Amino acid sequence: MSTPAPETQSDSSDQPRHAGFWVRFGAVILDLVVLGIPLRLVLLIPVLFGSEAGEVTGFDLSYTDAQGETVTARNSLSVADLAQLVLLAVITVLLWVNWDGRTPGKKMLRIRIVSYPDFSPFSYRTASIRTLASLLGVFTLGLGYMAQAVMIAAREDKRGYHDIIAGTCVVHDRPLDTPA
């Protein structure tokens, strides 16, 4: 009969390892392939059969180029764009809460979202706050996503502003043979 190994009192051994930018970015790309592309195809079925995915909103982006000329670009969101954004947000929240902080991409790359600083599961409310905070990147023409990337790369706890607002962090799963 063997005796169990004595427990170590090291603080770093019982803390999960925070997931950095590249593994998180990889999980997002996988999610877009696994969730986003099929969802987009389903949402385009009415368009293919003659229904219009009419313009929901349009906005002009104007700036001055190097020659001093004003350049205006017209951008718009279609019904399919807006529906995909909303459905992906809802699906993501449902997966996070019901699938232990994971989406398919996070599961494949063995990372998950947990509450911070106690590393426990979180609620629909927390997941919704995190999603809404993250969506600021869409409505700031990508600047919010750039800020998230810089924060995740630079901070020791690898948390973006969406994590800070929601009280979450992304961690690596423990290997199966590592004691908890």
Side-chain angles (χ1 to χ4, degrees), residues 159-176:
R159 296 170 71 209
Y161 68 80
H162 60 305
D163 289 310
I164 293 168
I165 291 169
T168 60
C169 66
V170 181
V171 296
H172 289 275
D173 289 342
R174 293 183 190 267
L176 297 175

Side-chain angles (χ1 to χ4, degrees), residues 136-147:
L136 289 174
V138 171
F139 300 110
T140 59
L141 303 175
L143 294 176
Y145 291 129
M146 290 176 20

Side-chain angles (χ1 to χ4, degrees), residues 28-45:
V28 168
I29 297 300
L30 288 169
D31 286 336
L32 287 174
V33 170
V34 172
L35 298 172
I37 292 173
L39 183 59
R40 184 58 167 204
L41 292 174
V42 168
L43 292 172
L44 286 177
I45 288 172

Side-chain angles (χ1 to χ4, degrees), residues 13-73:
S13 68
D14 52 348
Q15 297 294 322
R17 187 167 56 103
H18 294 278
F21 172 77
W22 288 112
V23 70
R24 292 171 70 163
F25 182 74
V28 168
I29 297 300
L30 288 169
D31 286 336
L32 287 174
V33 170
V34 172
L35 298 172
I37 292 173
L39 183 59
R40 184 58 167 204
L41 292 174
V42 168
L43 292 172
L44 286 177
I45 288 172
V47 175
L48 296 174
F49 289 102
S51 175
E52 290 188 27
E55 189 174 295
V56 172
T57 186
F59 59 94
D60 293 333
L61 175 63
S62 297
Y63 60 93
T64 305
D65 66 9
Q67 289 77 28
E69 301 284 326
T70 299
V71 178
T72 302

Side-chain angles (χ1 to χ4, degrees), residues 101-179:
R102 295 178 182 96
T103 56
K106 284 180 176 51
K107 189 166 184 73
M108 285 184 256
L109 296 181
R110 299 182 52 137
I111 61 175
R112 64 190 164 118
I113 304 167
V114 293
S115 64
Y116 185 86
D118 62 353
F119 306 108
S120 63
F122 51 92
S123 67
Y124 285 110
R125 180 180 182 272
T126 299
S128 298
I129 291 169
R130 188 178 193 276
T131 298
L132 291 173
S134 184
L135 286 175
L136 289 174
V138 171
F139 300 110
T140 59
L141 303 175
L143 294 176
Y145 291 129
M146 290 176 20
Q148 285 178 12
V150 169
M151 290 179 75
I152 292 166
R155 292 176 56 97
E156 187 175 326
D157 62 8
K158 307 297 183 195
R159 296 170 71 209
Y161 68 80
H162 60 305
D163 289 310
I164 293 168
I165 291 169
T168 60
C169 66
V170 181
V171 296
H172 289 275
D173 289 342
R174 293 183 190 267
L176 297 175
D177 57 352
T178 303

